[in-house]
Every structure is written in C-alpha cells, then in structure tokens.
Amino acid sequence: MSAGLSVSRPAVVVVGASRGLGRSIARVAAREGGPVVLVARSRDGLADVAAELRAAGAEPFTVALDLLSGDAAQRLQEELDRSGLYCDVLVNSAGIGLRGAATLLPVKDQIGIIDVNIRALSELTLHFLKGMVARKRGGVLNLGSIASFTPGPGMAMYYASKGFVRSFSEGLYTEMRPFGVTVTCACPGPVATEFLVLSGAGKSMLFKALPRLDPDYVAERAWRGFRARRRIVIPGLSAKLAALASSVVPSALMLPLIARLQRRSSDLCPCGSGKRYGNCCGK
Ligand SMILES: NC(=O)c1ccc[n+]([C@@H]2O[C@H](COP(=O)([O-])OP(=O)(O)OC[C@H]3O[C@@H](n4cnc5c(N)ncnc54)[C@H](OP(=O)(O)O)[C@@H]3O)[C@@H](O)[C@H]2O)c1
C-alpha cells in the first residue's frame, strides 16, 4: 500500500464530513482551492456536502466508509490512489459519545466509542503521517474537546477517549514538528450539531449551562489554528475558561461537580434497581 504517489495531487481528507463540524471544516478547507475528500458512512450526507462545495467552485471527492469496518485506512488509501490524490491534510472529525451511567449503558456501545474516537483516529493518523513526514509537509487536525481536560463522570468513556486524543495529538505535535508536519488538537466546548442529540449530552445541565457555539465559527478557529501550526486550539471564551477551571480546581471538587451537572433527575440509579437515582442508593 503506498502512502501517496509522487505524481498525485495533495488533498485535504475530512473524516466525519457528512454533517456537523466535519462539514463546516470541509467548507473552510475547500476555500483554499485544492481537492477535498469527504469521508463518512452516509452517502446522502456526503452527496449533499459535495454538491454544496461544487456549487462554491471547489473540487470535492466522496468516500462512503464505516470506520468500524476494520480496513478503513487501507480502503481510503485505495480511493485516494484511484483518484490520483494523496492525503496532505487529515482532519479527524468523526466522533461519537454517550451520556449515562457506565453500568447502565450497553458495554458494546461504550467500546464503540473507543473504536471510533481512538482506534480509527489513531489508525488513520499513523497511516497518513508517514507520507507527510517523507514529504515534509501537511499535517493532522484532530477533534478533541474541552472534555479532554478532565475525567467526566456520567460520560466517562467519552471524556477518556478525548483525553487520549489530546495526549496523542500533543505528543505527535512535538515529534513531527522538526519535520515540518503539524498535528493540532481542536478542543471545543458544546457545538450546535447532532452530536449533542445523538450522545444525549445536550440534555445535561452541564451542556445546557455552557453556550453552544456555531459549527462554522469553531471550524474557522480550528482551521486557522491548524494553518498557524498551533498545538491546541480552544475556540471561544467559555471553553477557554472551562479548560482553565479543569487545570486549577482540585479534582476532589471538580469531579463530583461534573457528575452532578451531567446527571438528570430522571436518570436511573447505576446500581441497576430500576429506581430513579435520587430514590435509591445514589446521593
Ligand atoms: N458537537 C459538540 O458539542 C462537540 C464538542 C466538542 C467536540 N466535539 C467533537 O467534534 C467531532 C465532530 O462532532 P460533531 O459535533 O460534528 O458530530 P456529528 O454532527 O454527530 O458528526 C459526526 C460525524 O462523524 C461521522 N461518523 C460517526 N461514526 C462514524 C463511523 N463509524 N464511520 C464513519 N463516519 C462516522 C458521521 O457521519 P455518518 O453518520 O454519516 O457516518 C458525522 O459525519 C467529534 O469528534 C466530537 O467528539 C463535538
């Protein structure tokens, strides 16, 4: 499997481009004029984004791919080779989350968070970094979260997965910098996308308390930060303050507060009794 043909053209590959932040980042990246490869499962979603980019004069390509298929990097590479492109910039925006008690959420779904947010992101990053370093150009823009700055009781697997994304990205940033390759981690707070509905996070007090940013605004900040070769981008004042609070407030205070704000009054007790949290052993 080649990591990019010398005669091929550089492309921005946006994984998770069928909607949300990925779609917004694809829009911003397309303004630079080069080919943009849109990756996600939904063919309709990809076709819709591609039509929008084409109408704006850009050159989109679509690759319908399930990151859980096990051979995502290889299949994506084959599609790039077929189109005479190489991955100059990789944007890892595909991500999933789940709010709820770890003992009540299905184990399979929680492990699925690791598969998409950690395994697939790592596999794609490692696959395409080799070519970037050989060419001494390009880079990776990973979508972390303010959740990457603290453990998150009530959404533990998601926060842990984002902690991995930030740590992995920051390590690679320093490792790749001497070779002219940038790895940036964008760490937004709540953004008004379907993620908040699908993950259930939008129903928690925590996400209701923080302002929801516009995905286009977050995409602009993330892309500008990436092009400025920044290690971390935290779009918006509220997210910056939340990240700061995570680093200065002791965990003994911070974690129970997050647990409280992430819980809903209708949540069931993690003990499995089927009773509501407040009417059972939960405090
Ligand atoms: N929204 C927020 O509040 C927020 C805040 C901080 C960080 N983030 C992070 O930002 C990133 C983007 O989030 P978003 O808000 O844009 O979420 P979103 O609107 O739910 O979009 C998620 C994208 O990931 C793709 N995807 C999910 N599972 C996939 C799979 N198995 N294979 C291929 N593609 C898959 C989806 O496409 P298909 O369904 O078509 O496959 C979609 O394009 C995520 O990493 C998220 O954790 C979001």
Side-chain angles (χ1 to χ4, degrees):
M1 191 194 313
S2 86
L5 302 171
S6 56
V7 289
S8 53
R9 293 185 302 143
V12 176
V13 177
V14 184
V15 182
S18 61
R19 60 171 190 268
L21 280 167
R23 179 177 189 145
S24 294
I25 293 171
R27 225 179 251 145
V28 179
R31 289 204 308 250
E32 292 187 352
V36 178
V37 181
L38 311 165
V39 184
R41 288 167 302 181
S42 159
R43 288 179 192 276
D44 288 350
L46 291 174
D48 192 41
V49 182
E52 183 201 320
L53 297 189
R54 213 170 284 117
E59 188 188 2
F61 293 76
T62 61
V63 181
L65 193 67
D66 186 347
L67 294 172
L68 300 180
S69 63
D71 59 350
Q74 175 152 1
R75 284 190 49 208
L76 185 49
Q77 182 68 59
E78 285 164 7
E79 292 291 341
L80 291 171
D81 289 345
R82 231 190 308 277
S83 303
L85 302 171
Y86 68 84
C87 178
D88 187 41
V89 175
L90 172 67
V91 180
N92 279 309
S93 189
I96 56 175
L98 276 180
R99 189 198 68 87
T103 49
L104 300 182
L105 293 170
V107 172
K108 189 169 174 286
D109 294 351
Q110 294 185 73
I111 300 302
I113 295 175
I114 297 179
D115 288 337
V116 175
N117 297 10
I118 298 180
R119 189 192 55 75
L121 175 142
S122 304
E123 193 186 0
L124 292 172
T125 301
L126 296 175
H127 177 81
F128 290 116
L129 261 184
K130 279 188 185 179
M132 292 170 189
V133 169
R135 290 184 289 267
K136 297 203 168 24
R137 59 172 281 168
V140 183
L141 172 57
N142 283 331
L143 265 296
S145 166
I146 49 165
S148 69
F149 293 97
T150 172
M155 220 171 158
M157 190 62 93
Y158 178 73
Y159 278 60
S161 75
K162 291 299 172 180
F164 172 90
V165 172
R166 186 167 68 85
S167 173
F168 183 54
S169 304
E170 290 199 69
L172 290 180
Y173 170 88
T174 307
E175 208 176 309
M176 298 302 141
R177 203 171 152 72
F179 303 97
V181 174
T182 303
V183 180
T184 297
C185 187
C187 299
V191 186
T193 70
E194 276 183 48
F195 171 85
L196 293 180
V197 180
L198 295 173
S199 65
K203 289 180 182 165
S204 77
M205 284 278 289
L206 184 63
F207 282 75
K208 282 180 182 162
L210 290 166
R212 290 181 190 191
L213 297 180
D214 182 80
D216 290 341
Y217 167 80
V218 174
E220 291 280 357
R221 309 301 296 196
W223 188 258
R224 203 184 306 167
F226 168 70
R227 282 306 193 199
R229 300 188 172 276
R230 286 176 54 196
R231 182 168 44 88
I232 298 278
V233 179
I234 306 176
L237 181 63
S238 55
K240 285 185 181 67
L241 291 174
L244 180 67
S246 303
S247 65
V248 295
V249 178
S251 298
L253 295 176
M254 190 68 168
L255 301 192
L257 179 67
I258 293 175
R260 187 95 190 93
L261 292 175
Q262 211 127 242
R263 205 160 49 229
R264 299 188 74 204
S265 56
S266 57
D267 282 353
L268 299 178
C269 185
C271 77
S273 64
K275 292 182 189 164
R276 286 204 174 171
Y277 195 93
N279 300 333
C280 195
C281 36
K283 293 190 179 71

